[in-house]
Amino acid sequence: MTLFEFLMALASVVIAIALTEIFAGWGRLLRTHIVPRIDWLHLGWTLVIVLYAIQYWVGIWPYREIQFTLIYQVWFLIFPTLFIVLVSYAITPDIDPDRNLDLRDYYLSRRAPVFIGLAAFLATAQLADVIILDIRLTWISLALVVIGLLPAFTQRISIHTAVLIFNLYFVLATGFGLIPSSNGLIN
């Protein structure tokens, strides 16, 4: 087993934990006896997080040719996966099937850990490219992190919506190859 294969296995397990948390949350919502008040904003962000997690996992592939010689290189490849797991846990509520749940209230109450964690994920994913692949940061990569922080500090739905649309556009455009990328995010 090469070091890359070992790292890919570790990243796969960590990302699978993140995806499992979100999918399990969706499943718990479907199983509740009392219909929770579904919120399009919360649902949209869980979808964006799922797409980012999958794109990051696929985006690890360009690292297969790298000879990892120093442990910090491994850290920068694995840290983003840890942040996406924390974001997944923060955005996914524990659901009591016998209690009404307002997902908008839950979402707004968890906005700081969700969006600070998401910004940390985006920043560390891009730093991995800079540190390991020697790729330059661009203005859009910096803007993605800064804009991603905005919802952490406000309850204004218009800002949450605009940042959601920006991230959804970005992740879909990158996924469909409209924005060139080395790691599935941005270079």
Side-chain angles (χ1 to χ4, degrees):
M1 175 180 272
T2 67
L3 182 54
F4 173 77
E5 291 167 335
F6 177 76
L7 291 173
M8 191 65 167
L10 177 61
S12 297
V13 168
V14 175
I15 289 173
I17 291 168
L19 294 175
T20 299
E21 179 63 18
I22 289 179
F23 294 149
W26 290 346
R28 286 188 299 268
L29 283 172
L30 293 172
R31 287 187 192 151
T32 60
H33 299 297
I34 299 170
V35 178
R37 184 171 159 227
I38 302 296
D39 179 52
W40 63 268
L41 193 56
H42 177 265
L43 185 62
W45 275 111
T46 60
L47 177 62
V48 167
I49 292 165
V50 165
L51 294 175
Y52 271 137
I54 293 168
Q55 276 191 336
Y56 184 77
W57 179 75
V58 171
I60 294 173
W61 187 250
Y63 294 96
R64 71 190 174 285
E65 303 298 326
I66 301 297
Q67 294 298 319
F68 293 93
T69 56
L70 300 168
I71 191 68
Y72 78 89
Q73 294 170 312
V74 175
W75 294 340
F76 277 96
L77 197 58
I78 297 302
F79 283 167
T81 64
L82 302 176
F83 284 117
I84 203 72
V85 166
L86 295 176
V87 169
S88 297
Y89 274 90
I91 202 163
T92 306
D94 283 329
I95 298 168
D96 180 352
D98 297 321
R99 202 177 111 231
N100 283 327
L101 174 66
D102 185 327
L103 286 173
R104 174 67 55 94
D105 290 343
Y106 176 82
Y107 166 82
L108 290 172
S109 73
R110 304 303 304 151
R111 70 186 188 282
V114 168
F115 292 103
I116 291 170
L118 187 59
F121 163 74
L122 293 168
T124 55
Q126 293 172 54
L127 280 174
D129 282 352
V130 170
I131 291 168
I132 301 169
L133 297 178
D134 198 28
I135 293 175
R136 279 181 0 148
L137 284 178
T138 63
W139 69 269
I140 196 166
S141 59
L142 296 174
L144 192 62
V145 174
V146 173
I147 291 169
L149 280 171
L150 293 176
F153 303 106
T154 183
Q155 289 193 22
R156 289 185 54 197
I157 300 306
S158 59
I159 291 175
H160 285 258
T161 303
V163 175
L164 172 64
I165 290 167
F166 177 76
N167 275 270
L168 189 56
Y169 169 78
F170 176 79
V171 76
L172 290 174
T174 304
F176 285 106
L178 303 175
I179 299 174
S181 166
S182 66
N183 71 351
L185 291 176
I186 189 135
N187 59 358

